[in-house]
Amino acid sequence: MVKNKIRIWSSVVLITLVWLMHNLLPNRVTNFEKPQPYFNELLIIALVVTAVFAIISTILHRVTAFQYNSPRIGVFFLAFGLYDLVTLKLGAINTLFFPNPDKIFGAMVNNAVLLAKCLGYSVWLLVIGWVLGGICGVITGILIGWSTDWNYWLDPIVKFLGPIPPTVLIPIALSAFPTSFAASAFLLALSMWFPVTILTNSGIASVRVDYLEVADTMGASTLQKVFKVAIPAAAPSIFVGIFNGVCASFITLMVAEMLGVRYGLGWYINWQREIMGYANVYAGLIVLAIAFSLIITILFRVRDHFLKWQEGLIKW
């Protein structure tokens, strides 16, 4: 019982400790800019919210999601508190390259409109690449895995072009396409295409023979066997390929946007780095991490919806 209460209130205690450190300890670093209150306000909001959930969890006398995650939340804010300590309070590291949390969260608030615009641009570019690369990858994988004739011609092409990192092709793409946006979309589609092709091929080729024999017995046509038997049986492998392609496309997106696309999170981070705006760089990285983590979470939700018999088998 005591252990559960400690677990429940751990986040409240740790956030309170961070708030006290931030407000009571003197600053060792001289800040000539206007003070940014956003980190302090974030701590207060987090303290109020966690205290409310802690009270509710204590009253319910049962295990809740907050009770499970409370230590994680507390340690998360403690990490920010320690970073605030070594930057703003102690000046132990170069604050030009490692700005304190006040500046970072201030940059997030003050540049919220531009960050939202860059995020929307990046997501739109990703969606185009995912759709094109995913469709081409599934079609290519089905052809290679199902037909020996297509396998004969396409398999060497996939094995030759697939291992080439899409970022290596940036100079060619920028020369071949009329705009940097189109070139970036092509590179993202390419990064999606290869893993989807490989995993789709593997899934189709691994379909149990007795499934196809039953379909033959029932008079199914070739297309019916492909769409009603092979693709559903290969769906788990296809989703793994999509997951790998999405993760690969994140890397490609950052590099592509840093080398010519106007707007986008990669462009924003590179631009701020060039003008020494490292608070904005870290703000962009935080938005990037949250957005990409949310995208992967949504992808797994979609997977669990379509593959209910495998729900929870692969967790995120």
Side-chain angles (χ1 to χ4, degrees):
M1 191 68 173
V2 175
K3 183 178 180 181
N4 289 337
K5 288 185 177 180
I6 293 175
R7 187 181 186 93
I8 291 172
W9 289 92
S10 59
S11 59
V12 178
V13 173
L14 291 175
I15 294 174
T16 302
L17 175 62
V18 174
W19 183 82
L20 291 173
M21 289 168 49
H22 180 71
N23 287 277
L24 298 182
L25 293 178
N27 299 339
R28 293 288 297 274
V29 176
T30 303
N31 189 3
F32 297 101
E33 302 175 1
K34 182 181 178 181
Q36 302 283 357
Y38 301 112
F39 181 54
N40 190 55
E41 292 175 357
L42 176 65
L43 292 174
I44 295 173
I45 294 172
L47 183 58
V48 172
V49 172
T50 53
V52 170
F53 277 102
I55 294 172
I56 294 174
S57 299
T58 303
I59 295 174
L60 292 177
H61 295 293
R62 61 183 177 85
V63 177
T64 62
F66 174 77
Q67 179 178 341
Y68 177 77
N69 290 294
S70 181
R72 292 178 177 176
I73 297 171
V75 171
F76 173 80
F77 279 95
L78 180 61
F80 270 109
L82 294 176
Y83 180 74
D84 184 58
L85 181 66
V86 299
T87 53
L88 182 64
K89 303 302 179 182
L90 300 179
I93 56 178
N94 192 332
T95 55
L96 174 63
F97 301 105
F98 299 97
N100 60 69
D102 281 332
K103 292 184 178 180
I104 295 174
F105 288 104
M108 292 181 65
V109 175
N110 297 329
N111 293 279
V113 175
L114 181 57
L115 282 169
K117 182 177 181 179
C118 290
L119 176 60
Y121 190 96
S122 294
V123 171
W124 175 238
L125 189 57
L126 281 171
V127 169
I128 293 176
W130 290 342
V131 172
L132 294 176
I135 292 174
C136 293
V138 170
I139 293 174
T140 307
I142 292 173
L143 292 175
I144 295 175
W146 183 264
S147 170
T148 54
D149 292 333
W150 282 104
N151 183 286
Y152 178 82
W153 292 107
L154 291 179
D155 189 58
I157 298 175
V158 173
K159 291 180 178 178
F160 178 74
L161 295 178
I164 301 175
T167 52
V168 175
L169 302 177
I170 286 178
I172 298 175
L174 291 175
S175 302
F177 290 88
T179 64
S180 57
F181 185 89
S184 299
F186 166 75
L187 294 173
L188 289 170
L190 190 61
S191 65
M192 188 74 172
W193 167 77
F194 178 61
V196 173
T197 297
I198 295 298
L199 271 298
T200 301
N201 172 28
S202 176
I204 296 293
S206 301
V207 175
R208 291 174 55 176
V209 178
D210 53 342
Y211 291 171
L212 301 176
E213 290 176 348
V214 171
D216 282 328
T217 303
M218 298 178 67
S221 65
T222 300
L223 287 179
Q224 287 176 327
K225 286 188 289 184
V226 170
F227 287 98
K228 298 293 185 179
V229 180
I231 292 179
S237 295
I238 295 175
F239 270 99
V240 173
I242 292 174
F243 171 77
N244 292 336
V246 167
C247 293
S249 67
F250 290 156
I251 301 173
T252 304
L253 173 71
M254 291 299 99
V255 177
E257 288 185 339
M258 288 180 179
L259 295 178
V261 174
R262 184 161 182 81
Y263 295 115
L265 289 175
W267 167 83
Y268 178 85
I269 292 171
N270 188 56
W271 168 48
Q272 294 298 328
R273 179 189 60 82
E274 290 178 346
I275 64 175
M276 303 292 284
Y278 283 95
N280 295 320
V281 170
Y282 287 105
L285 289 174
I286 292 174
V287 173
L288 187 79
I290 294 173
F292 286 0
S293 179
L294 182 60
I295 289 172
I296 297 297
T297 301
I298 294 173
L299 176 61
F300 269 82
R301 297 291 185 186
V302 173
R303 178 194 180 279
D304 289 341
H305 175 75
F306 285 101
L307 304 179
K308 291 187 180 296
W309 69 92
Q310 284 196 334
E311 186 174 356
L313 183 63
I314 302 177
K315 297 181 179 180
W316 168 253

